[in-house]
Amino acid sequence: MAEIKHYQLDAAFASLKQFDPFAKDDDSIQVVLWRNGEGFDAHISGVEAQHLSISWGQFRAIKKLIKELDK
């Protein structure tokens, strides 16, 4: 029989409406930290549900590039 492990996930959940003026009332976002601490998963609900799995290094790169575009 396969070994099954149980563990707790560290997650945060919020209504997307408070961040995005185009979001519908029931749209939401959830961020779950990876168990190994190397990144996170983001789940965005809505008409076109989206899922993003990203390492902390990739996240820092995205933030830096967005900051560059925002100049």
Side-chain angles (χ1 to χ4, degrees), residues 41-58:
D41 294 332
H43 304 272
I44 303 170
S45 72
V47 175
E48 296 181 21
Q50 300 175 19
H51 175 96
L52 176 67
S53 292
I54 190 167
S55 71
W56 289 114
Q58 293 166 335

Side-chain angles (χ1 to χ4, degrees), residues 13-42:
F13 178 88
S15 168
L16 199 54
K17 189 77 171 167
Q18 60 187 323
F19 302 101
D20 181 358
F22 302 107
K24 294 185 174 46
D25 290 338
D26 59 345
D27 289 350
S28 62
I29 184 166
Q30 178 182 21
V31 175
V32 180
L33 297 179
W34 293 352
R35 185 169 177 233
N36 64 10
E38 294 177 358
F40 61 90
D41 294 332

